[in-house]
Amino acid sequence: MMMKKLPILAILGLLFCSCATTRKIEDDRIKIKFLDEYVIDKDLTLDDTKVGGLSGIDYKNDKYYFIVDTPSDARFYEAEIDLSGNKIDTVNFKKTVIIERSAEFFKEHTLDPEAIRFSPEENQVYISSEGSINNEKDPSVFILDENGNFKDAFKIPQHFTATGEQKPRHNGVFEGLTEASDKKGIWVATELPLEKDGPKPKLFPTKSFIRITYFDKESMEATNQFAYRLDGISKIPWNYFAINGVTELLEYKPGNFLVLERAYSAGHGSHSNTVKIFDVDTKRATNILEKESLKEASFSPARKRLVFDFKSVKDQLTDKIIDNIEGMCFGPKLENGKQS
């Protein structure tokens, strides 16, 4: 979903702590603290490309990887980010990698990249793409080498296909992407519910469930899937357009995720976005992979708990606004030993 402004990097500190109750000590709980923000020059260019449309970010081996969601000029960047204490000192974009489009796969699939994960062990890049549902082009999750050449693609379940009976929504399919904590697979989140699964979020409570799917690296097929309920729209859309969906996720231990929800209500100018991070537990969630419609199915969704609302730090940001946020990754350990 494209609603881009200036690229902004925010650094957040993650604190793992235990929560005591009267009966037992619960599992580790995450707390998140805002540390810093860095605004990139809107006119920055690299290798004859304009740095913008950044939709996903990953960090491996002291390098950052940014995916650009411009279908006509699909590419990703390698960058370095230097920290000084708990602040961002400099951001240096070092290399542009153009995605090679000559593979047969890209003749059948519209390239609309949304998220990126780099695997240094495999020396390859995983990318999610929304495709083009209105043009009957399937969404996809595919693999590139570090030079942008196509290697392989996962087989997607039938209910995500553009012509499938479950009816995925245009610009609402594969958005968030994370490597599984065991490195044996990847998890992919749809931004919006399938039409047969439920409505898009509204101002009033709705049963708006998206599907988050596990793809096994060995079989290249989906083997697990759970339902995640989206929050509602938080602002009245004065111009008759509003959306809330998942734009990114991270698995921080088996079955536990950080999930980024981004809402947008038209008519509020630069104050149209609402962005939140949730801590998500799937240990009681049903595997819904074989369920054709969540409207008619019995299942247990993942449990979610709000851990960070960007509204709480609005006054600390350069422009005092919550920008459109679509990417999230674990960064380096900070000087105090906490995870960024």
Side-chain angles (χ1 to χ4, degrees):
M1 183 66 64
M2 294 182 65
M3 293 182 289
K4 296 292 183 278
K5 293 184 179 180
L6 295 183
I8 290 181
L9 296 175
I11 181 171
L12 306 171
L14 277 65
L15 174 65
F16 293 82
C17 62
S18 293
C19 179
T21 69
T22 57
R23 301 184 64 181
K24 63 180 179 178
I25 300 297
E26 297 288 346
D27 292 337
D28 287 349
R29 307 293 294 274
I30 280 183
K31 291 183 179 179
I32 296 178
K33 179 182 178 182
F34 174 77
L35 298 178
D36 197 23
E37 170 210 41
Y38 188 102
V39 181
I40 299 168
D41 190 327
K42 64 182 177 62
D43 295 320
L44 178 66
T45 60
L46 180 69
D47 301 325
D48 296 322
T49 68
K50 188 171 183 177
V51 177
L54 307 179
S55 185
I57 179 175
D58 200 17
Y59 171 78
K60 296 287 168 55
N61 292 350
D62 297 325
K63 289 183 181 179
Y64 289 83
Y65 299 84
F66 293 88
I67 190 70
V68 175
D69 69 354
T70 306
S72 61
D73 192 15
R75 61 196 184 277
F76 62 89
Y77 294 108
E78 292 182 11
E80 294 177 356
I81 299 176
D82 296 322
L83 305 182
S84 177
N86 289 341
K87 303 294 183 181
I88 301 173
D89 184 61
T90 54
V91 178
N92 294 309
F93 285 83
K94 296 287 190 179
K95 181 180 178 182
T96 307
V97 180
I98 304 297
I99 298 178
E100 176 53 55
R101 307 168 68 99
S102 62
E104 192 68 28
F105 178 82
F106 293 129
K107 296 177 182 178
E108 301 173 1
H109 294 79
T110 296
L111 188 55
D112 185 10
E114 292 293 347
I116 184 169
R117 298 297 171 199
F118 178 67
S119 173
E121 297 86 2
E122 302 163 310
N123 211 32
Q124 58 190 24
V125 179
Y126 294 88
I127 291 175
S128 63
S129 173
E130 286 195 306
S132 181
I133 303 303
N134 287 349
N135 294 307
E136 298 188 350
K137 298 291 187 180
D138 293 342
S140 60
V141 184
F142 57 89
I143 304 171
L144 306 174
D145 66 20
E146 61 181 343
N147 296 314
N149 299 303
F150 177 80
K151 293 184 67 176
D152 207 347
F154 291 91
K155 181 180 179 181
I156 67 170
Q158 188 275 338
H159 48 252
F160 293 134
T161 57
T163 57
E165 292 183 3
Q166 279 83 358
K167 299 182 182 299
R169 287 180 161 94
H170 185 72
N171 274 343
V173 204
F174 295 158
E175 185 90 14
L177 175 68
T178 183
E179 188 172 27
S181 58
D182 63 5
K183 308 292 186 182
K184 295 180 180 179
I186 60 170
W187 290 93
V188 182
T190 58
E191 182 178 4
L192 297 173
L194 303 174
E195 288 189 21
K196 268 202 168 183
D197 284 344
K200 293 187 290 186
K202 309 290 184 184
L203 282 168
F204 53 85
T206 57
K207 293 182 179 180
S208 299
F209 290 100
I210 65 162
R211 297 178 184 239
I212 298 180
T213 308
Y214 178 83
F215 289 88
D216 180 77
K217 289 182 180 180
E218 184 174 354
S219 68
M220 298 297 289
E221 295 186 353
T223 60
N224 196 3
Q225 189 179 77
F226 65 87
Y228 172 92
R229 187 171 181 172
L230 296 168
D231 272 20
I233 302 298
S234 57
K235 298 179 181 180
I236 297 173
W238 301 118
N239 291 346
Y240 305 104
F241 175 78
I243 189 172
N244 182 46
V246 166
T247 59
E248 192 60 285
L249 74 164
L250 293 169
E251 187 177 31
Y252 64 87
K253 69 178 183 179
N256 292 86
F257 299 80
L258 292 178
V259 173
L260 184 69
E261 288 191 38
R262 182 275 323 276
Y264 177 86
S265 293
H268 295 269
S270 60
H271 300 277
S272 296
N273 291 299
T274 302
V275 185
K276 301 175 182 178
I277 300 175
F278 294 89
D279 185 13
V280 177
D281 181 357
T282 68
K283 61 174 171 282
R284 293 190 179 95
T286 305
N287 185 350
I288 59 169
L289 189 59
E290 302 302 324
K291 295 186 182 296
E292 293 187 4
S293 171
L294 299 185
K295 285 182 182 178
E296 304 165 0
S298 175
F299 63 93
S300 296
R303 296 188 301 171
K304 59 190 282 190
R305 177 180 67 93
L306 180 65
V307 289
F308 192 79
D309 187 338
F310 278 83
K311 179 175 65 176
S312 66
V313 298
K314 181 174 66 174
D315 291 340
Q316 300 178 52
L317 303 178
T318 301
D319 295 324
K320 312 298 184 190
I321 61 171
I322 310 303
D323 215 323
N324 178 42
I325 300 176
E326 296 193 357
M328 179 169 65
C329 71
F330 293 120
K333 288 288 182 69
L334 301 173
E335 291 179 358
N336 62 5
K338 304 301 181 183
Q339 176 68 60
S340 66

